[in-house]
Amino acid sequence: MRVAVTGAAGLVGRKTVEALKRAGWEVLPLSRAARPGYLTTDYTVNSLAAIFAGADAVVHLAAERGGEGCLYQNQQLTENVLLAMKQSDRCRRIVYLSSISVYSGEETLPWSEQTLPRPEGEYGLSKLAGEHLCAIYQKAGIRYTVLRCAHILGIEDRGYMLSRFFDGAFRRQAICVTGKSVARREFIYVKDAAGGILWALGSEESVGQTFNLGYGKGYTNLQIAGMVNRAFGNEGNLRYIAEREEGIRSSYTDVRKITKAGFRPAFTIETAMQDLFREYCRLKRES
């Protein structure tokens, strides 16, 4: 079986490609930029159709992360993927990575798949539009699974909260949590996100279905910082500036549907932190 992965050079994409290869899939990793081992595409219909002619399935991860204009860009990108699949006699299966950002409203937490989606930003709206496009193209024979993914735990680009926590803990410095730390957000380790994608590809029960993908529990930034410090051997080395507003809201889901369907994460959030420490040390040795 051969699967094309859009956005394969991203955080989730890299781990998904690794997981698919370990499972015996032949992988066609796609990227806009020329990279060794990747297929270069501009994500137009013609470019994608040429690639999908030799694929059995697509994992669609490519997306612009937030910001003005991402609604149009992500909607167009997803429709190009589906149009290219429609032209193929072979490529009829897609796993679409959506986001917890399609939900809002703390009064309805935890959000289940039956919760009415109410995106508050363009990114969440773009992901919801992609979900609806998948359902529309089902009429053309496209078999889809939607995964509404929680916030990703991984070694991110510099500047994000987790990367600052990792850097500080690795250097045995005090890591700083700014804000009241009352909002609870749901996370999932990037390796478990890749595992969920792999599960969806192999599950006939998941076809035509939408699932929340996460650990089903929310954590404050202060709790996350404490877990990072414990995993990195920097326990107790924390600065907490509680006087400021956080600027974030609670966001976590009910994951019983995907659990009942058969997906089991390989990690807990605590064991994910320990694995992240090992990966972080490896990357530091290699750099």
Side-chain angles (χ1 to χ4, degrees):
M1 297 287 282
R2 184 180 293 175
V3 58
V5 180
T6 72
L11 177 64
V12 179
R14 295 192 301 272
K15 294 301 182 186
T16 299
V17 168
E18 290 173 10
L20 288 166
K21 287 181 176 179
R22 284 196 303 270
W25 289 73
E26 187 177 349
V27 184
L28 304 174
L30 277 59
S31 172
R32 287 188 187 276
R35 302 171 186 268
Y38 287 75
L39 298 176
T40 306
T41 178
D42 58 5
Y43 287 109
T44 59
V45 176
N46 287 341
S47 173
L48 292 169
I51 295 168
F52 294 169
D56 300 291
V58 175
V59 172
H60 182 31
L61 307 176
E64 294 291 328
R65 291 179 60 182
E68 188 174 329
C70 76
L71 170 59
Y72 172 77
Q73 293 176 47
N74 289 343
Q75 180 179 322
Q76 188 64 63
L77 175 57
T78 300
E79 187 156 25
N80 285 356
V81 168
L82 291 163
L83 282 167
M85 291 179 69
K86 185 179 177 182
Q87 292 183 18
S88 170
D89 294 328
R90 173 178 175 180
C91 190
R92 319 302 288 168
R93 181 77 170 96
I94 184 170
V95 174
Y96 173 65
L97 193 69
S98 185
S99 169
I100 195 174
S101 299
V102 303
Y103 300 116
S104 69
E106 291 179 296
E107 71 281 357
T108 56
L109 290 168
W111 299 316
S112 75
E113 292 84 356
Q114 286 71 47
T115 301
L116 180 66
R118 293 186 299 168
E120 290 189 328
E122 281 196 41
Y123 178 72
L125 186 56
S126 75
K127 285 296 185 179
L128 185 60
E131 292 184 18
H132 285 290
L133 284 168
C134 288
I136 289 169
Y137 277 79
Q138 188 177 29
K139 299 172 185 176
I142 305 300
R143 303 165 70 245
Y144 75 90
T145 301
V146 169
L147 299 175
R148 290 174 174 167
C149 192
H151 304 290
I152 296 292
L153 279 173
I155 300 173
E156 304 174 284
D157 296 332
R158 295 189 63 83
Y160 288 99
M161 180 189 78
L162 280 171
S163 68
R164 296 198 305 271
F165 287 178
F166 294 156
D167 286 345
F170 183 79
R171 293 182 171 88
R172 301 296 186 265
Q173 298 170 349
I175 60 178
C176 183
V177 178
T178 302
K180 297 183 184 300
S181 202
V182 294
R184 294 186 293 148
R185 296 184 295 165
E186 182 181 7
F187 293 85
I188 187 168
Y189 187 26
V190 63
K191 290 183 180 180
D192 276 331
I197 291 165
L198 187 62
W199 166 81
L201 274 175
S203 169
E204 281 299 314
E205 186 178 349
S206 77
V207 174
Q209 297 291 317
T210 296
F211 298 93
N212 292 330
L213 179 63
Y215 290 148
K217 184 177 179 181
Y219 298 88
T220 68
N221 287 346
L222 193 60
Q223 288 175 313
I224 293 294
M227 284 188 275
V228 170
N229 264 346
R230 285 192 294 275
F232 279 55
N234 195 42
E235 192 163 3
N237 203 358
L238 252 174
R239 289 180 58 219
Y240 178 33
I241 305 173
E243 292 76 21
R244 301 181 192 173
E245 293 296 326
E246 288 185 282
I248 58 174
R249 297 177 184 177
S250 292
S251 53
Y252 51 93
T253 65
D254 182 336
V255 295
R256 286 178 292 179
K257 181 179 178 181
I258 197 169
T259 300
K260 185 177 180 181
F263 174 66
R264 298 288 189 279
F267 296 84
T268 65
I269 194 165
E270 292 82 7
T271 59
M273 291 296 184
Q274 295 163 12
D275 197 60
L276 277 165
F277 172 65
R278 291 188 289 269
E279 288 224 343
Y280 196 87
C281 291
R282 178 182 59 80
L283 288 172
K284 286 293 184 181
R285 289 194 300 269
E286 293 174 356
S287 62

